[in-house]
Amino acid sequence: EVQLVESGGGLVQPGGSLRLSCVASRFTFSNYEMNWVRQAPGKGLEWVSYITSSGSDMYYADSVRGRFTISRDNAKNSLYLEMNSLRAEDTALYYCARGCGGDCYGLSFDYWGQGTLVTVSS
Amino acid sequence: EIVLTQSPGTLSLSPGERATLSCRASQSVSSSYLAWYQQKPGQAPRLLIYGASSRATGIPDRFSGSGSGTDFTLTISRLEPEDFAVYYCQHYGSSLTWTFGQGTKVESK
């Protein structure tokens, strides 16, 4: 079964930085597009960022563009999210999610990790 | 940006009953770009339906999706105890962005 394990969350002050990681296993990581999705406490889902399978192209939600950077290391089966200039409204559980393969063409997310919690507070 | 509005906010039903969840887009969208997810408390979301009507791997056939244009529906034909959860619709938009609806909670009556 596909596995995605996030780490790197924690408590950070407003204006601070954090780097999240997601380690993938039991599938060929380099063949799949990947995403970060977040969920504020008690709220709904918000897509954050996307990266192509090769890592050549990245896209961001307006709410994080210019502050967050997505990247990947296919040799290490790892996805990252570098978060800078953090704000209270970035407080959320951050999930990594795989873009679906086959006839889904990456348009939906077929596997998700369990998430890592980021809390931005002074 | 396309906005997805889900209704109702909460659906109170009994096991064995039929659940009908709605997702309305603020403008017409391709059905290929519409998906549904289930999320239980303390768990990550799970993909149920993609392309508006295709069931994801391992999803029971009591779950079905339909719709086109601006109106999409997720139907659970007979609710099982494990189906009580929050359901989200999702749309893939232009320039590789995605949006989610605000969710519908299906609770046990």
Side-chain angles (χ1 to χ4, degrees):
Chain A
E1 170 90 350
V2 166
Q3 194 166 28
L4 297 167
V5 179
E6 302 94 337
S7 63
L11 175 63
V12 61
Q13 292 189 338
S17 300
L18 214 53
R19 189 193 199 208
L20 306 184
S21 299
C22 170
V23 176
S25 58
R26 302 176 189 164
F27 69 101
T28 305
F29 180 69
S30 59
N31 286 353
Y32 288 84
E33 301 154 348
M34 296 295 296
N35 297 268
W36 287 98
V37 178
R38 68 185 180 183
Q39 187 169 35
K43 303 297 184 182
L45 302 169
E46 179 188 16
W47 171 78
V48 172
S49 185
Y50 157 95
I51 189 166
T52 55
S53 57
S54 66
S56 60
D57 291 290
M58 297 79 78
Y59 293 84
Y60 301 92
D62 289 344
S63 58
V64 306
R65 187 176 295 112
R67 301 186 299 121
F68 289 12
T69 302
I70 190 172
S71 62
R72 66 191 295 162
D73 184 338
N74 285 343
K76 295 183 177 180
N77 291 337
S78 294
L79 176 72
Y80 306 103
L81 186 68
E82 188 77 38
M83 304 187 296
N84 298 316
S85 303
L86 283 161
R87 306 165 180 168
E89 55 264 36
D90 295 319
T91 294
L93 188 62
Y94 284 73
Y95 295 102
C96 65
R98 190 182 83 167
C100 55
D103 64 349
C104 183
Y105 304 113
L107 300 175
S108 307
F109 309 151
D110 59 356
Y111 286 95
W112 299 58
Q114 285 304 304
T116 186
L117 181 63
V118 173
T119 303
V120 184
S121 175
S122 54
Chain B
E1 177 186 310
I2 292 173
V3 176
L4 300 178
T5 302
Q6 293 186 239
S7 61
T10 302
L11 199 50
S12 297
L13 295 168
S14 300
E17 289 192 295
R18 182 184 188 90
T20 303
L21 287 67
S22 172
C23 176
R24 177 162 291 176
S26 57
Q27 61 191 82
S28 183
V29 301
S30 168
S31 58
S32 297
Y33 299 164
L34 201 287
W36 289 91
Y37 297 82
Q38 175 194 66
Q39 187 178 33
K40 297 178 183 179
Q43 295 186 17
R46 177 173 72 146
L47 177 65
L48 298 175
I49 301 288
Y50 65 92
S53 60
S54 297
R55 270 187 301 276
T57 302
I59 301 303
D61 60 7
R62 65 180 180 272
F63 291 93
S64 64
S66 63
S68 63
T70 60
D71 292 304
F72 297 88
T73 301
L74 174 70
T75 302
I76 310 170
S77 59
R78 288 178 56 85
L79 280 165
E80 297 288 341
E82 62 268 28
D83 298 337
F84 293 99
V86 179
Y87 293 83
Y88 294 95
C89 58
Q90 176 203 44
H91 172 253
Y92 161 72
S94 60
S95 303
L96 286 162
T97 60
W98 286 261
T99 54
F100 290 90
Q102 82 279 17
T104 289
K105 181 179 182 180
V106 178
E107 65 176 21
S108 181
K109 189 190 299 184

